[in-house]
Amino acid sequence: MNVFEGGGGRFLEMTNGGTAVFVDVLMLAVSALAAEPWDFRFAALLTLQDQSVMGRGVVGFGLADLDWGDTPGERAEAKGFLLRVLDLALSRHRWEELTYEPSRVEGYLRTYRAMLEEFDPATATATAAGRPGTGVMPGPREAARASCVRHRVLDALPFWEACVFCTAGVRGSN
């Protein structure tokens, strides 16, 4: 089981297959909306949830572990971006290109969206390299800026040269 934590003890626990679908539909949405540095860092974090590379049952992260920014404005902008990503995913953005029916993912997306709505980024307590709020987020130099030409989503560079659809083989869109 993979766990994505919210605030106040809330969490979304998914099977390996559920997690793969969750990451797939989020990558389709995040790739369409990413425009700011934080957006591309979040996209890189999503690529690190690729179980085909990282291993099954070992992915997930908490909202409190994200680098939401240093100011209330930065935190609001980051949270707004993630809410837009979830809304776009819930609209079934590019799902027709998937080689499978993403069953149950709408429930996962709705649960995660509710967790995010309730979460206050100012309460994030994660630290990395002594800087509060950086947690599991890839740094600016590790942001996902390259795009997979075949699948038209952000790929995992600089971590590896493939997108979540390429590493899964048959799961991806064409």
Side-chain angles (χ1 to χ4, degrees):
M1 291 296 217
N2 301 289
V3 178
F4 292 80
E5 297 174 23
R10 292 193 64 186
F11 61 91
L12 174 60
E13 187 174 37
M14 295 176 280
T15 63
N16 292 327
T19 302
V21 174
F22 184 70
V23 171
D24 284 354
V25 299
L26 285 178
M27 281 307 302
L28 292 170
V30 81
S31 296
L33 296 176
E36 300 297 326
W38 191 92
D39 309 351
F40 292 101
R41 290 178 62 207
F42 183 78
L45 177 60
L46 276 182
T47 68
L48 295 175
Q49 309 314 302
D50 185 347
Q51 296 176 100
S52 298
V53 176
M54 302 303 286
R56 296 176 69 73
V58 298
V59 300
F61 56 85
L63 293 174
D65 297 328
L66 302 183
D67 176 4
W68 292 97
D70 296 326
T71 67
E74 289 173 345
R75 291 189 286 269
E77 189 175 311
K79 184 175 179 177
F81 168 75
L82 190 45
L83 286 168
R84 288 189 305 278
V85 165
L86 290 162
D87 289 342
L88 185 59
L90 280 163
S91 77
R92 298 176 166 255
H93 175 73
R94 293 182 57 196
W95 288 14
E96 72 281 358
E97 297 175 36
L98 298 171
T99 60
Y100 61 89
E101 178 61 35
S103 63
R104 292 191 233 161
V105 76
E106 281 188 61
Y108 297 148
L109 292 167
R110 290 187 194 291
T111 298
Y112 198 68
R113 191 181 194 296
M115 289 169 34
L116 177 61
E117 281 181 333
E118 293 175 10
F119 181 74
D120 179 1
T123 64
T125 58
T127 61
R131 181 169 173 241
T134 55
V136 299
M137 287 283 283
R141 292 182 182 191
E142 301 164 326
R145 295 205 177 263
S147 183
C148 173
V149 175
R150 179 175 175 215
H151 297 108
R152 301 179 341 274
V153 297
L154 294 166
D155 68 21
L157 282 173
F159 302 105
W160 52 86
E161 293 185 27
C163 76
V164 296
F165 297 109
C166 288
T167 60
V170 298
R171 248 190 21 235
S173 59
N174 287 323

